[in-house]
Amino acid sequence: MPVYKIYTYPESILKHKAKPVHDINDEIQKLVDGMYETMHFASGVGLAATQVGNENAVFVVDVPAENEQRYMFTVINPVLVESSGESSREEGCLSLPGFRVDVKRAERIVIKGFDRNGKDLVIEAQGLLAVAIQHEMDHLNGITLIDKASLLKREAYIKSLKKGSRE
Ligand code: CO
């Protein structure tokens, strides 16, 4: 199973809006397997298909929870059905190496979609898991952390990329 290339800013694929999956076939299974492998290889807590250059509306997460639980799952065609509260956390992204920014998001969300077997999925999340899900759903809408940053912060990052001074 190949580990996919992770596209990084400013590659234009990251701005593409994902398309709904109509048939959860072998190709999608392969994509999901490859996305897990890529996410784990890169030590990420989430990955959207957009980030590996694929336009299907699919994301995976593997988020550690406070109580030694672990939330590892796939969502196909995610839709936000409820959101409430507000919290701000510093986030990073595999597509923006070295970039960190505080992002305000809903504290609690409910999403629906399908799992990799095509079964209906409803997920209620809060805390870090809610952050990860909203972050990945942004990717599927062509939005990355750079869009959430101030102009100053964005320009500084672009400058650092040009210099190649980031680690
Ligand atoms: Co990301």
Side-chain angles (χ1 to χ4, degrees):
M1 183 63 62
V3 173
Y4 294 122
K5 171 195 167 180
I6 297 174
Y7 286 79
T8 56
Y9 179 83
E11 283 177 291
S12 61
I13 180 77
L14 294 172
K15 294 198 158 205
H16 289 201
K17 255 187 105 129
K19 299 184 175 86
V21 175
H22 296 298
D23 181 17
I24 301 174
N25 53 23
D26 286 356
E27 196 185 310
I28 297 295
Q29 300 299 337
K30 247 188 219 166
L31 171 68
V32 170
D33 287 339
M35 284 173 63
Y36 275 117
E37 202 180 325
T38 306
M39 171 177 68
H40 288 140
F41 182 80
S43 303
V45 295
L47 190 71
T50 321
Q51 293 177 274
V52 296
N54 184 290
E55 290 196 314
N56 287 299
V58 178
F59 75 79
V60 296
V61 291
D62 188 353
V63 176
E66 285 80 7
N67 46 3
E68 291 195 1
Q69 236 184 314
R70 185 177 171 191
Y71 299 108
M72 184 163 95
F73 55 83
T74 307
V75 186
I76 297 170
N77 300 348
V79 178
L80 184 70
V81 287
E82 244 182 85
S83 69
S84 60
E86 195 182 87
S87 71
S88 183
R89 273 179 204 248
E90 194 185 56
E91 296 179 31
C93 179
L94 294 175
S95 292
L96 291 151
F99 189 73
R100 311 279 307 171
V101 66
D102 283 323
V103 183
K104 241 184 232 164
R105 300 195 187 272
E107 170 60 25
R108 184 189 154 273
I109 57 166
V110 179
I111 64 160
K112 62 174 190 174
F114 300 95
D115 71 11
R116 63 180 300 171
N117 301 309
K119 275 179 67 179
D120 286 325
L121 206 60
V122 176
I123 293 164
E124 193 187 326
Q126 52 190 359
L128 189 57
L129 181 61
V131 170
I133 290 172
Q134 290 172 84
H135 179 118
E136 300 317 325
M137 286 178 71
D138 271 355
H139 274 303
L140 296 177
N141 283 312
I143 297 164
T144 67
L145 289 185
I146 200 100
D147 303 308
K148 306 273 185 187
S150 66
L151 185 62
L152 205 67
K153 201 156 178 149
R154 197 179 314 162
E155 282 178 345
Y157 184 66
I158 292 165
K159 211 168 160 186
S160 77
L161 287 182
K162 277 180 187 154
K163 275 190 188 156
S165 60
R166 69 181 171 81
E167 294 179 354

